[in-house]
């Protein structure tokens, strides 16, 4: 009985120890683990000096920024912590986005190397149909990461995007919204955005 309680379990219960940690502690530990893993992947060095430097750096950054992981409530509903985000779905979205970035790179390369440089720079304004602030943030950053497009402004649901290759980019953005909606089950499926393009 006492041994179970010390391990974070009570009789007749299977509550893990992490469930008893304060929300801030879970946020810090999650953030620290992600940052330290990222350090290890990028450095590729596993001697004591670099491990200690990575450990201290990750701990310092996590201590200063872990509160950023606590997302504001989206009424109605409780607050969502990034540790409970659907990471497998988001990883699949990342793979999809990398493929789209590669395709866009090739498309922009062809345009740049074309003798007539067939670009059609426009500002495209549309209303996103994603309801979560997290989803809108992912959308804005995904657009900017894709060559040929940059998110210029976001106000509520309204996005202003600069496109190098004309207003047809809205079809790609609509597909991107659909992929983000699938990656975040709490969000309804996206539909074609409303477009108001101008030079």
């Amino acid at each position: 009985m006492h041994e179970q309680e010390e391990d974070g379990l009570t009789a007749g219960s299977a509550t893990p120890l992490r469930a008893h940690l304060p929300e801030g502690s879970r946020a810090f530990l999650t953030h620290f683990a992600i940052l330290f893993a990222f350090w290890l992947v990028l450095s590729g060095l596993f001697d004591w000096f670099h491990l200690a430097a990575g450990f201290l750096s990750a701990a310092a950054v996590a201590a200063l920024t872990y509160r950023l992981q606590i997302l504001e409530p989206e009424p109605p509903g409780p607050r969502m912590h990034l540790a409970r985000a659907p990471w497998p779905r988001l990883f699949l979205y990342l793979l999809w986005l990398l493929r789209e970035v590669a395709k866009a790179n090739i498309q922009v390369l062809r345009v740049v190397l074309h003798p007539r440089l067939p670009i059609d720079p426009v500002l495209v304004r549309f209303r996103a149909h994603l309801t979560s602030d997290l989803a809108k943030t992912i959308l804005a950053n995904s657009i900017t990461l894709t060559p040929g497009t940059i998110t210029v402004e976001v106000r509520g649901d309204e996005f202003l995007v600069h496109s190098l290759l004309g207003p047809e980019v809205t079809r790609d953005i609509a597909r991107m919204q659909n992929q983000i909606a699938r990656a975040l089950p709490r969000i309804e499926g996206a539909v074609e955005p409303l477009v108001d393009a101008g030079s």
Side-chain angles (χ1 to χ4, degrees):
M1 175 69 177
H2 294 293
E3 292 179 356
Q4 287 182 330
E5 290 179 349
E6 290 176 359
D7 291 337
L9 300 173
T10 57
S13 172
T15 304
L17 179 61
R18 66 176 180 273
H20 299 290
L21 291 174
E23 186 175 28
S25 298
R26 294 199 304 271
F28 170 80
L29 292 175
T30 301
H31 202 178
F32 167 77
I34 293 172
L35 291 172
F36 188 50
F38 193 57
W39 170 281
L40 294 176
V41 170
L42 291 184
S43 71
L45 300 172
F46 304 101
D47 57 273
W48 286 112
F49 173 78
H50 287 92
L51 287 176
F55 183 92
L56 294 175
S57 299
V61 173
L64 293 171
T65 62
Y66 74 92
R67 290 186 177 274
L68 296 177
Q69 291 195 82
I70 309 295
L71 304 183
E72 291 300 320
E74 297 172 9
R79 303 200 325 168
M80 189 183 92
H81 188 283
L82 284 186
R84 296 191 292 271
W87 292 114
R89 290 174 179 262
L90 289 173
F91 179 72
L92 291 177
Y93 170 74
L94 178 60
L95 294 180
W96 178 87
L97 179 61
L98 290 175
R99 187 187 68 178
E100 294 301 306
V101 168
K103 289 166 55 179
N105 266 306
I106 295 173
Q107 185 179 19
V108 171
L109 180 62
R110 286 175 178 171
V111 170
V112 171
L113 296 178
H114 195 284
R116 296 184 179 178
L117 195 66
I119 61 173
D120 181 20
V122 296
L123 286 173
V124 178
R125 190 181 302 275
F126 68 91
R127 189 172 298 279
H129 294 275
L130 299 170
T131 59
S132 164
D133 287 342
L134 176 59
K136 294 172 190 174
T137 301
I138 293 174
L139 176 62
N141 284 282
S142 298
I143 291 171
T144 299
L145 285 171
T146 305
T149 55
I150 296 177
T151 303
V152 178
E153 182 180 69
V154 179
R155 288 189 179 182
D157 295 334
E158 191 173 89
F159 282 60
L160 181 63
V161 173
H162 181 272
S163 171
L164 187 66
L165 304 177
E168 292 79 10
V169 70
T170 54
R171 289 177 298 184
D172 296 329
I173 293 175
R175 290 173 52 240
M176 189 174 287
Q177 288 194 75
N178 284 326
Q179 292 296 327
I180 294 172
R182 293 190 185 100
L184 299 172
R186 292 176 55 186
I187 302 171
E188 299 293 333
V191 297
E192 287 285 341
L194 302 176
V195 180
D196 178 18
S199 58

